[in-house]
Amino acid sequence: MIVKSVMLALTLVGVLGVQGSTGDCPEFPYQPTNYQEDNRGQFHFSSRGGWMNDVNAPLYYRGVYHLYYQHNPHGLAWDTMHWGHPTSTDLVHWRQKPIALEPGVHPGDLWSGGGVVDTGNVTGLKTGDDDPIVVYSGTDGVTVFYSLDGGNTFKSFDNGRKVVKPPAKTSRDPKVFWDPDSRRWGMVVWSDQDGNGVDFYTSTNLLDWSFASRYQGDWLFECPDMVRMPLDGASHWVLSAGSGEYVVGDFDGTTFKTSWPTPQKINQIDTYAGSDYYAALTFANLPANRVVSMAWQGGNHGSTWTGNASFPVEERLKSTPSGPRVLSTPVPEIASLRTSTQSWKNLTLDSAAARRLLAGVTADTYELDAVVDVRQAKQFGFRLHTSPDGWFDKDVVYDASNGLLDGAVMPAHDGKVKLRLLVDRGQLDVFGNDGEVYQSHNVNFDSLPGGDGVELFVDGRIQLESLRLHELGSIWKNRSESTLSTNIAGLWYPASGTWSDVAGGKQGESSGDAFYLSKASGADFTYEGDVKLASGTAAALTFRANKDASKHYTVNLDADAGVVKLWRPGRDIATSPLTVERGRTYHFKVVAQGPSLKVSLDGKQAIDATDTEQSAGQFGVNVFRGTGVFQNLRIS
């Protein structure tokens, strides 16, 4: 497969363009889908089309979560790796973006890797307002790619030079992390030199790396992660493998050490490449030392896609009698998906009463959490997606006699256990005792009518302290694919003109004025974005608009008049001379404070004006008698 991938990559060099530039690639936009195919997860991310495997370089930057992943957009099986790319503003609702790394445009085999945001510009690569986003890929040596537009498009560093030279044997899957104690960056890379293990490298500038040490472990096979977590007033390091096996230890800036003789598992299922949990990575650059992880689930597929990402979990260390353990729970942002809730409290239930409790409940995608006293029970659990004939798609069982949740050790605490389930169309996540047990499964839940019941079953007697069932809405509902990168949370809509998604962003065309608006609004703010007049007269940022843009402020590039102009209906407020180049991208920044309206273009002030007509309103973009392309719209 590697030979086949390399040959295809070489073939595509002439088709897709030169290194460092993004062409009009056939991969994007993807074929239309409403994400409602049978078995397609409704709150687990899956690629709009094509094959998905390992999570790559998850990171957070200026209000946006970026998830990259191993991707074959041309088929439903592994072949010719690209880096797919969705983004989210809440870790829950994801939007598919254009390919981030692609053969022919970017050198190398583009296999799995990690990435960080260079907030201090230690690379020296920064040229504008955006911090460089630096990602690492490659097998048998590491190559670097960097983005200067917020993680959307990437260039190769130094024409694809290997910044880490190949070791004696196979290596791959670089993951980069920051060590605040040594004030250096670290990189962990899997290799099989003298058996499975990882090599550690260090750097002060993210570009020049020095070998530091090696940690050996038969269990430590590919896709390593290295993350720092607090526990009991101290910091510890967690080193994990693609299987989710991990050890906790110390890192002195060059060497990792642990007293653990054997690893533990983050996810307590049988994990291997292609299983229902593999190749998890933690997000870089999260605020407040938050640790969030996502993995690849390989057992989900349909007619247009293969594989999905696990629902993001928040990880923390907890002290136990056996030592520190990683606990995982769903990110709290899941609450935004809850559309309705049913609850039950303080009930004593035997087998018959338990079976009657949920007899009238039906649900398709939902979250279920329960607190149960099991001191009088042999076992209890839930049967999911039941039908009147007694069929069910999956059950989750707590064995109270042996303290096991679906085979994973989970003792009761003071006679009680907590159980939390996330039930999707093609996925089931099981959490026990606030994350002591975490299991993820691909399950083909029957989405047809008549098979969406839920049943509580008991052997013996339980005291049901609480039970809640939250129905969860779809992350795809009322959300179409968009290439527009923005942290403006409101729903966007075309107020006039023709608007479409192209590789470079959101494109508008009109023979007159056309507006594309967000429902989000503001009064005092900084609003900035990239504006390109592809053809015609003018392209612009719009702000303080009403819903149909009959009232607004707009600052545009007017190629016919040769000016930057700030205007509103009925008045041209101010202009500044500029020879506008069609096809060039300009960066606008608008600072609105009461009647004061200041406009900068490419970092230089162009307009300083006042106007009292509009004190607040919606954000948007505008094109006039031509075609404009807009990207990286941000408010602060």
Side-chain angles (χ1 to χ4, degrees), residues 374 398 403 410-417 433:
V374 296
Y398 182 70
M410 192 183 84
H413 298 304
D414 296 324
K416 298 178 182 179
V417 296
N433 283 352

Side-chain angles (χ1 to χ4, degrees), residues 144-332:
V144 177
F145 306 94
Y146 65 96
S147 171
L148 300 178
D149 63 0
N152 293 300
T153 62
F154 287 85
K155 298 179 180 180
S156 66
F157 171 70
D158 199 11
N159 295 316
R161 173 178 67 86
K162 298 278 188 180
V163 299
V164 170
K165 293 182 179 180
K169 288 196 173 183
T170 305
S171 71
R172 58 178 176 267
D173 311 330
K175 172 70 190 299
V176 173
F177 58 91
W178 171 249
D179 176 22
D181 294 328
S182 66
R183 306 294 299 173
R184 286 185 294 186
W185 296 95
M187 179 190 292
V188 56
V189 183
W190 173 81
S191 80
D192 61 359
Q193 186 171 356
D194 301 320
N196 281 329
V198 292
D199 295 330
F200 284 94
Y201 300 83
T202 61
S203 175
T204 58
N205 65 4
L206 290 169
L207 300 176
D208 299 299
W209 294 88
S210 300
F211 176 80
S213 64
R214 178 166 174 79
Y215 180 84
Q216 205 85 15
D218 291 342
W219 60 273
L220 191 46
F221 176 60
E222 72 180 11
C223 300
D225 195 5
M226 178 80 162
V227 63
R228 195 172 188 251
M229 293 190 193
L231 177 65
D232 300 332
S235 293
H236 304 263
W237 288 91
V238 178
L239 174 64
S240 60
S243 62
E245 293 175 283
Y246 72 95
V247 294
V248 178
D250 299 310
F251 183 68
D252 65 4
T254 58
T255 305
F256 176 82
K257 294 181 179 180
T258 181
S259 60
W260 287 24
T262 57
Q264 296 293 310
K265 293 195 74 173
I266 293 173
N267 194 291
Q268 290 86 36
I269 65 169
D270 188 13
T271 52
Y272 52 88
S275 70
D276 296 347
Y277 180 94
Y278 197 72
L281 287 183
T282 50
F283 278 76
N285 296 85
L286 289 183
N289 295 317
R290 189 181 187 193
V291 179
V292 173
S293 174
M294 293 179 75
W296 165 42
Q297 294 189 267
N300 185 230
H301 60 87
S303 61
T304 60
W305 88 97
T306 302
N308 66 265
S310 65
F311 191 82
V313 294
E314 205 154 281
E315 294 181 345
R316 69 188 189 280
L317 278 179
K318 180 182 177 180
S319 293
T320 75
S322 302
R325 294 292 184 264
V326 173
L327 273 59
S328 303
T329 51
V331 294

Side-chain angles (χ1 to χ4, degrees), residues 511-531:
S511 58
D513 265 315
F515 293 89
Y516 188 66
L517 301 177
S518 168
K519 288 189 175 181
S521 62
D524 295 339
F525 48 78
T526 297
Y527 178 33
E528 54 189 308
D530 296 329
V531 177

